[in-house]
Amino acid sequence: MIKAEKLYFSYAGNSSNILNGINLKIDDGEYISVVGDNGCGKTTLIKLILKFLKPTSGTITVNTNKIGYVPQKNDFSNADFPITVYEVLNSYRKLLKIKDKSIIDKSLGQVGMLDFKSSLMGNLSGGQRQKILIARAILGTPDLLILDEPSTGVDVKSQKEIYKFIKRLNINEKITIVSVEHNLDAAISNSTQIYHMVEGHGHLCSPTQYVDEYLKFRGKDEDNV
């Protein structure tokens, strides 16, 4: 589904590369968590997959009919912004040119938020807003769902509900998941593979391999204290 070869990227006016020769292949039906320290290139890689950015060199190919995207930040936290849950999803339905309005109720029902259809987005909790953004992203049943740190600003109870739902989408609906993660427990528990990035480089590994790498790195770090 996704294939990157010798992928380099640097922002205009910056002489150093954010991504340094990334090679990555993600097959249909996988659940990939992208992990690494801040500034290692995780979000930049996601923006390249979404074609928000163009590579400095190298290639990235994405073969999918439809991509759903849940950004890290949203503009709906302001209680003074008068938009309802229904309006958020309905505007996206129109953008996708989907005639069937019933998919709004279906998507809200999938994330357990149907009773909040008439609520103002600004009056919802962080976890509730995140569920609404996921409901919006799955309108029309995408082949690929991309999430940028889905548990940021979300309470623990909602985090568990969100990851359970994302995993169900992956297993039952066969939707490929790519999620930028700082929640390592969720990444290890849910992913089929983890893409570990360090200073613009990256490699795929199993969750078990990642745990071994993480413990080994932490042990070296403690030895230097």
Side-chain angles (χ1 to χ4, degrees):
M1 175 175 280
I2 300 171
K3 188 175 183 179
E5 294 183 296
K6 298 179 181 178
L7 188 66
Y8 288 83
F9 181 83
S10 61
Y11 288 97
N14 192 335
S15 59
S16 60
N17 289 316
I18 301 297
L19 300 182
N20 293 286
I22 293 289
N23 292 299
L24 172 63
K25 184 175 182 291
I26 300 175
D27 294 325
D28 292 355
E30 291 202 87
Y31 185 144
I32 305 296
S33 291
V34 183
V35 304
D37 293 337
N38 291 337
C40 69
K42 301 187 299 294
T43 296
T44 298
L45 176 61
I46 293 301
K47 289 180 178 179
L48 285 161
I49 293 173
L50 291 164
K51 300 190 184 302
F52 293 167
L53 299 172
K54 293 183 178 180
T56 303
S57 64
T59 61
I60 183 164
T61 304
V62 182
N63 292 317
T64 178
N65 294 321
K66 181 177 179 294
I67 300 175
Y69 173 51
V70 181
Q72 180 181 351
K73 297 180 180 179
N74 67 77
D75 299 322
F76 303 121
S77 59
N78 189 341
D80 296 327
F81 190 51
I83 188 168
T84 66
V85 167
Y86 178 83
E87 289 169 337
V88 168
L89 270 68
N90 193 46
S91 61
Y92 192 59
R93 176 192 65 81
K94 292 178 180 178
L95 181 65
L96 296 176
K97 298 180 180 179
I98 299 173
K99 295 182 179 180
D100 184 8
K101 293 183 180 180
S102 70
I103 68 165
I104 294 176
D105 284 3
K106 178 183 177 182
S107 292
L108 289 174
Q110 285 180 291
V111 297
M113 291 294 291
L114 185 56
D115 291 342
F116 293 83
K117 183 167 69 171
S118 300
S119 300
L120 289 173
M121 287 291 290
N123 290 340
L124 301 180
S125 68
Q128 289 170 332
R129 284 197 299 271
Q130 193 72 330
K131 291 176 185 178
I132 297 304
L133 293 177
I134 293 173
R136 181 179 66 173
I138 62 174
L139 282 178
T141 313
D143 304 302
L144 171 64
L145 179 62
I146 295 177
L147 308 103
D148 194 350
E149 299 195 2
S151 62
T152 297
V154 178
D155 62 273
V156 175
K157 181 177 180 292
S158 294
Q159 285 183 29
K160 291 179 179 179
E161 293 171 349
I162 286 169
Y163 284 113
K164 183 177 180 180
F165 176 66
I166 294 170
K167 187 67 174 179
R168 190 163 68 242
L169 286 176
N170 177 243
I171 294 175
N172 296 343
E173 305 296 331
K174 309 302 181 185
I175 296 176
T176 304
I177 306 292
V178 178
S179 182
V180 171
E181 284 294 350
H182 71 278
N183 188 329
L184 298 183
D185 288 339
I188 292 164
S189 299
N190 297 307
S191 307
T192 54
Q193 293 194 87
I194 289 177
Y195 192 64
H196 185 195
M197 296 190 68
V198 179
E199 297 181 351
H201 300 276
H203 70 280
L204 281 171
C205 58
S206 71
T208 301
Q209 289 172 324
Y210 175 72
V211 170
D212 290 342
E213 290 179 11
Y214 178 76
L215 291 175
K216 184 177 180 180
F217 175 79
R218 191 175 68 176
K220 287 182 178 180
D221 189 50
E222 290 175 350
D223 288 342
N224 292 326
V225 173

